[in-house]
Amino acid sequence: MPLLMITSYYSKQRTVTSMRKNKSFTKRSLTILFLPLLLISSATVAYGALQDFVNVELSLTTMHKPNISLKSTLLNTQDNIIAVFINKTTKIVEDTDPSAVQLQINLTNIDTPLIDRITLNVTLPNDWNWAGQLFAQKSRNYYINEIDLTYNNITRTLTIVIPSIKEAVGSPLNYKESVLFNLNIEYSLKGEVFPLEYVDVPPTYNIAATAVAFTGEWTSIPKDITTTFTTYVYEI
């Protein structure tokens, strides 16, 4: 074989070998270059999937939990002021105006889960007691008679439980429907000597209420409300 042809042959072989090496190097380089990008992309997809899963779980949890609002008012007072009448001579408390104060608490379902059970705790202030009367009605149309009541004379706390609104009135509490609780409270100092420290500075009182609603085993966040009223003293 002529020398020129042999030289040409080996030259071509070196070129082919070099090209193969370059291609192999290029593939390794591309693999090294894109591996971090691939890992980042995979991590991003995994994080997105995890975030979607968490969002779904939170949505399901929120969807099943009931949500309520709570309002309260004194129905038979003007500007939440109660007059206390004491005997000018004996200083004994004769009466109040109104004689019994009517408190109304409005519990409203403000979300889509249907509410079937309610617990309401009402704590009265010093010098006031529950008058033994209470009624509840659903959205001013249906009176609820199936109510469990407990009153603690020491803490002056009235616990009101409606075990099943559906059994009581035929249907649970729907979205934007309310249960109205009405109760009377009375001044416990009637017939007693009016405290001397109250003469110049008649006290201001607070009624505290806390409610919880139930949808199956799901429980709402407790809602609190305070009703404040003032007394004015009149000697008769």
Side-chain angles (χ1 to χ4, degrees):
M1 180 180 294
L3 181 60
L4 180 60
M5 292 179 64
I6 294 173
T7 305
S8 177
Y9 171 78
Y10 282 109
S11 176
K12 288 181 179 179
Q13 286 296 103
R14 285 197 300 270
T15 302
V16 170
T17 304
S18 176
M19 288 176 65
R20 287 177 179 173
K21 288 182 178 180
N22 288 339
K23 287 182 179 180
S24 176
F25 176 76
T26 302
K27 289 180 180 179
R28 286 197 300 271
S29 299
L30 288 175
T31 301
I32 294 172
L33 176 64
F34 285 105
L35 182 60
L37 296 177
L38 181 62
L39 293 175
I40 293 173
S41 300
S42 301
T44 303
V45 171
Y47 175 77
L50 177 61
Q51 192 173 38
D52 290 341
F53 174 77
V54 171
N55 288 337
V56 169
E57 288 295 307
L58 290 175
S59 298
L60 290 174
T61 301
T62 304
M63 180 180 65
H64 287 85
K65 280 190 173 183
N67 194 10
I68 59 175
S69 67
L70 208 59
K71 298 179 182 179
S72 66
T73 185
L74 300 181
L75 297 177
N76 59 342
T77 66
Q78 185 174 359
D79 298 325
N80 285 13
I81 297 173
I82 297 170
V84 177
F85 301 105
I86 64 174
N87 187 289
K88 186 182 297 185
T89 304
T90 62
K91 306 301 180 183
I92 291 177
V93 178
E94 300 283 350
D95 203 355
T96 60
D97 184 23
S99 184
V101 179
Q102 298 175 4
L103 171 68
Q104 182 179 88
I105 297 174
N106 184 329
L107 183 151
T108 302
N109 182 358
I110 59 173
D111 211 333
T112 54
L114 305 180
I115 294 172
D116 193 49
R117 183 158 56 102
I118 293 172
T119 298
L120 174 66
N121 289 305
V122 182
T123 301
L124 304 180
N126 291 330
D127 307 328
W128 294 87
N129 275 316
W130 178 45
Q133 297 177 342
L134 179 136
F135 71 88
Q137 59 187 130
K138 177 186 173 186
S139 298
R140 303 184 184 275
N141 295 321
Y142 304 99
Y143 286 95
I144 301 173
N145 296 318
E146 290 78 6
I147 300 176
D148 297 332
L149 294 176
T150 304
Y151 183 65
N152 188 318
N153 286 292
I154 298 175
T155 62
R156 299 174 305 282
T157 299
L158 177 64
T159 300
I160 307 163
V161 178
I162 302 179
S164 175
I165 301 174
K166 183 177 181 180
E167 290 184 7
V169 297
S171 62
L173 197 66
N174 293 289
Y175 175 55
K176 290 188 177 180
E177 288 187 328
S178 301
V179 172
L180 303 177
F181 298 89
N182 293 273
L183 61 138
N184 291 349
I185 64 174
E186 290 183 332
Y187 198 43
S188 59
L189 296 181
K190 288 181 182 179
E192 299 182 11
V193 176
F194 192 67
L196 184 62
E197 62 270 22
Y198 290 179
V199 174
D200 295 326
V201 186
T204 296
Y205 297 98
N206 294 312
I207 304 172
T210 302
V212 177
F214 299 84
T215 299
E217 298 301 319
W218 296 94
T219 306
S220 70
I221 297 174
K223 291 297 174 70
D224 303 316
I225 195 166
T226 300
T227 309
T228 302
F229 61 94
T230 305
T231 53
Y232 279 8
V233 178
Y234 299 91
E235 290 187 342
I236 57 175

